[in-house]
Amino acid sequence: MKRTIRTAALTACALIAALGLPAGVAQADTATPRIDLRVLVVTDGGPATRAVEAELDGEGIPYTEVDLNSASRPTIDASFLSDTVDGRPRAKFQAVVLPNDNPFATGPEMAALAAYEQTYAIPQVDAYTYARPEAGLQYYVYGGYAGSLDGITAGVTDAGRAGPFGYLDGAVPFEDNDASVSESYGYLAVPLVGADFTTYVDAPVPGTTGRASLVGEYRHDGRRELVVGFVYNQYQQQFKLLARGIVDWMTDGIHLGASRNYLAVHVDDIFAADDRWNSTYDCTPGDVDCTDPGATGSTIRMTSADVAYATSWQETNDFTLDLAYNALGSEDFKEENDGSDPLLTSLVADKDDFRWVNHTYSHEFLGCVQNTTVVPWVCATNTDGSTQWVSQAQISSEISTNAAWGQANGLPIDTTELITGEHSGFFVTPQQPVDNPNLASAFTANGIQWAGSDNSRDPQQRQVGSALTVPRYPVNIYYNAGTKADEVDEYNYIYGSRAQGGSGICDDNPATTTCLAAPLSTTTGFDDYIVPLESRQALGHVLGNDPRPHYVHQSNLAEDRLLYPVLTSVISQYRALYADTAPVVNLRQKDIGAELQRRAAWKSALSAGTVTAYRIGSDVTVQAPAGTQVTATVPAGTTLGGSEYGTAYAGERSGWTASTGSALALTLPAPAVSLTGTPASADSVETTSTAPGTRIPAGLTD
């Protein structure tokens, strides 16, 4: 049965009642409202609202969660949504995220939300809703589609590029990582005839030549809804591509927090030679677990030709590698080659083309003293049973000697940065469950402020002496592989079942490691399987607003140069997806560390409730304790103290500003943000009416 919608304007008294304002505050009816920079997320526990929350967390945007599954959750009514501050009406939330267009079991809460959105022009995101007239769409059976979206390539429309998704070049590919698993489900639908609906992202309708909406804006009853017609989780590429635009749409591009896409790659062991994988014995000669006396092998080391290739590749791809060097590798090579090291000569000649990081002089293990007479190794102990530790003096020597050698050879190093060999000195389980107690003091003695750590075992930044850690992502291209055949053979062993002649790790740990269906071809497996997999995983980090660097080894720049196919794939895919206004950000280690440090402090300030932010018309005010690094995203042209705020990215401005304790006053560019809407009383809002032009298929009722 159809029901009508009443949109009569309120009188001043009715507006006061709708806002829950006390009598006698009629002047608030004409005051420009205050809109707090906070998002309301109403969740049903599904993956779509969890994904939006993850994006808000990642960007540093404050939000309030209301869990529909919680018996103790607050009731969403006028007093929950708004009040007055200093006689001015206040909207407590700048945007509302719902799991669908109407998730409430009863009508009053949705009616209260609708009245709130109308009164303050608050946008609403329907995180995942099926195609139906209440969302401004025809049922999918009329020119649309419902089902798996795996592998489709959606596209940003002209309206989307001119609006919230302008940072994308156009294509929005949906993942299809496993042909046996349905990874994405959704609805492609045609907007209702006569509905005020703008499609931002569409896709081809299977079996037809037409396209239909996946994401669009539905304007009705003085409200705006972003209608998302597919389900997703926070890790899927399609969501990561659209997440920024969803946030910008709901906040009008004015919010606390910020987002950028980062990529940095550290190449460890520069000047050293890495031992090569032995495919006969399935181990690496020189490693403590390669004990068979017949297991011998050669080493892998870059050449001058590899340096020339690296500099050329960097110039072509407009990207800078970070080279983590071990000086003893060059000194040993010179000793064995009449005092000459062509690799050193080439790298010194091109030293300014790279960034350089101290990786210690000899790559010595700097944790406990290792007892390698057993496999796996254990920490050596003193007579009283206590652990033998590498001394502070020895750690300091490794740091300072390498730094002095680099400076003597003209390498432009920053002595506050360090990466220890194998991330040693930090804890490594199960043998060494705590840091070497001498590590912190050695860092402090040498002025180390930023120390690389292994994200796979130590993912959170933490303080160690004078240093903060910089967690690094390992790339699954092995240090002991110089050729594609080496890489694939070792890959087959590690991820192969025992029945396939593999290590059996996947047999013993099925929850965390999947066995290969069959061994990869040593001829084609690298290009056909490993490169797509590793580039997809690295690209996922890039698209996740995650500044953490990746790391590989110098052997991966030598021989078959295994790094480049993966890295070229990541960069080329990225540039095909993003507009030039959103370039990949390539930071050095200390700048990554500082970004992580600021984010942690910002998150702590938000959690403590010490940050207040709101906008009134064209003015944005942020109040935070003195010393707090404040971050916000605003439209281009926004000023702070008469100067344009922040730096440009994706068509907006964002940045970090140290609070002095006084309010930070940002001025938005003209025209100021419109805060218009058609006021209506809560009891006059109809939230389930059928929109114009509706056709109802058999079996469905309105």
Side-chain angles (χ1 to χ4, degrees), residues 350-697:
D350 293 332
K351 63 182 183 297
D352 293 327
D353 291 333
F354 306 96
R355 292 190 291 252
W356 295 85
V357 185
N358 185 346
H359 195 32
T360 72
Y361 186 71
S362 69
H363 203 279
E364 182 181 354
F365 189 84
L366 301 179
C368 63
V369 176
Q370 292 177 297
N371 176 0
T372 59
T373 62
V374 294
V375 177
W377 63 269
V378 296
C379 289
T381 57
N382 297 305
T383 54
D384 62 359
S386 60
T387 300
Q388 290 185 30
W389 298 103
V390 173
S391 68
Q392 177 186 333
Q394 198 166 351
I395 298 171
S396 288
S397 176
E398 282 286 315
I399 297 170
S400 61
T401 304
N402 204 53
W405 184 94
Q407 291 169 326
N409 282 277
L411 302 182
I413 68 169
D414 186 316
T415 56
T416 66
E417 299 175 330
L418 179 72
I419 302 167
T420 60
E422 301 179 58
H423 306 105
S424 61
F426 299 119
F427 70 88
V428 53
T429 55
Q431 296 99 323
Q432 184 195 312
V434 298
D435 294 344
N436 181 342
N438 298 316
L439 189 69
S441 55
F443 283 172
T444 301
N446 288 274
I448 303 302
Q449 297 180 31
W450 313 106
S453 62
D454 188 341
N455 189 80
S456 63
R457 70 178 194 241
D458 197 6
Q460 299 304 318
Q461 187 176 61
R462 60 190 180 93
Q463 192 84 39
V464 181
S466 60
L468 284 170
T469 59
V470 180
R472 307 191 302 161
Y473 285 114
V475 179
N476 222 10
I477 304 176
Y478 305 126
Y479 81 95
N480 51 4
T483 67
K484 296 177 181 179
D486 286 344
E487 171 75 13
V488 173
D489 186 85
E490 185 172 4
Y491 200 95
N492 283 338
Y493 176 72
I494 292 174
Y495 293 102
S497 65
R498 291 189 182 89
Q500 296 169 339
S503 66
I505 292 173
C506 59
D507 297 317
D508 300 335
N509 302 277
T512 57
T513 306
T514 301
C515 293
L516 288 169
L520 304 179
S521 165
T522 55
T523 303
T524 62
F526 180 75
D527 294 317
D528 294 346
Y529 185 92
I530 295 176
V531 169
L533 177 61
E534 292 306 312
S535 61
R536 183 174 72 242
Q537 292 179 343
L539 183 61
H541 297 150
V542 175
L543 303 187
N545 186 26
D546 189 346
R548 290 172 176 82
H550 296 74
Y551 72 93
V552 293
H553 298 82
Q554 65 83 32
S555 52
N556 307 141
L557 303 189
E559 298 183 0
D560 284 352
R561 299 169 180 160
L562 302 178
L563 171 65
Y564 298 111
V566 174
L567 193 50
T568 300
S569 176
V570 172
I571 292 173
S572 62
Q573 287 183 74
Y574 180 87
R575 290 175 179 164
L577 294 170
Y578 281 82
D580 291 343
T581 57
V584 69
V585 180
N586 177 217
L587 301 178
R588 72 174 302 139
Q589 180 168 304
K590 70 174 184 180
D591 296 322
I592 295 169
E595 176 70 15
L596 293 173
Q597 180 185 30
R598 287 190 293 258
R599 290 189 188 193
W602 176 245
K603 182 177 181 179
S604 177
L606 292 179
S607 298
T610 58
V611 178
T612 302
Y614 56 88
R615 61 182 171 93
I616 300 174
S618 295
D619 298 319
V620 174
T621 301
V622 184
Q623 184 77 52
T628 303
Q629 288 284 337
V630 172
T631 181
T633 297
V634 291
T638 298
T639 58
L640 174 64
S643 299
E644 191 161 22
Y645 173 77
T647 56
Y649 194 80
E652 300 172 312
R653 307 284 296 191
S654 56
W656 293 94
T657 304
S659 171
T660 62
S662 300
L664 296 174
L666 297 165
T667 303
L668 302 173
V673 176
S674 173
L675 297 177
T676 60
T678 304
S681 63
D683 62 4
S684 71
V685 176
E686 175 53 64
T687 61
T688 58
S689 63
T690 303
T694 300
R695 294 184 294 173
I696 302 176

Side-chain angles (χ1 to χ4, degrees), residues 63-87:
Y63 65 92
T64 296
E65 179 190 271
V66 174
D67 185 354
L68 294 174
N69 299 312
S70 172
S72 60
R73 74 170 178 87
T75 299
I76 296 176
D77 55 19
S79 63
F80 177 81
L81 297 166
S82 60
D83 59 10
T84 59
V85 175
D86 298 328

Side-chain angles (χ1 to χ4, degrees), residues 184-367:
S184 300
Y185 187 93
Y187 299 87
L188 293 168
V190 177
L192 287 166
V193 176
D196 189 357
F197 193 101
T198 301
T199 297
Y200 291 141
V201 181
D202 64 9
V205 178
T208 77
T209 58
R211 300 179 71 87
S213 179
L214 265 179
V215 181
E217 178 178 334
Y218 181 35
R219 293 171 294 276
H220 63 105
D221 309 332
R223 299 166 59 208
R224 294 190 299 138
E225 292 181 52
L226 189 71
V227 180
V228 183
F230 67 96
V231 70
Y232 46 87
N233 65 54
Q234 69 190 77
Y235 305 105
Q236 290 179 302
Q237 178 175 283
Q238 55 265 31
F239 172 71
K240 289 183 176 183
L241 290 171
L242 298 174
R244 182 188 189 95
I246 292 171
V247 167
D248 283 348
W249 182 89
M250 75 167 85
T251 63
D252 290 320
I254 304 163
H255 58 81
L256 296 177
S259 175
R260 279 169 165 70
N261 295 331
Y262 300 86
L263 178 62
V265 178
H266 294 177
V267 185
D268 292 2
D269 304 352
I270 296 295
F271 298 121
D274 289 305
D275 293 319
R276 189 187 304 275
W277 172 257
N278 186 306
S279 59
T280 300
Y281 292 91
D282 290 327
C283 65
T284 305
D287 282 3
V288 295
D289 60 349
C290 198
T291 57
D292 194 299
T296 60
S298 58
T299 58
I300 310 162
R301 190 174 190 258
M302 290 175 64
T303 66
S304 294
D306 296 324
V307 176
Y309 189 93
T311 56
S312 175
W313 182 91
Q314 287 190 145
E315 183 176 359
T316 299
N317 290 276
D318 190 23
F319 188 85
T320 301
L321 297 169
D322 296 83
L323 304 187
Y325 71 97
N326 306 105
L328 184 61
S330 180
E331 294 303 306
D332 283 346
F333 189 92
K334 287 189 289 186
E335 185 175 335
E336 297 167 4
N337 292 274
D338 299 322
S340 175
D341 183 5
L343 177 59
L344 173 62
T345 301
S346 297
L347 281 171
V348 168
D350 293 332
K351 63 182 183 297
D352 293 327
D353 291 333
F354 306 96
R355 292 190 291 252
W356 295 85
V357 185
N358 185 346
H359 195 32
T360 72
Y361 186 71
S362 69
H363 203 279
E364 182 181 354
F365 189 84
L366 301 179

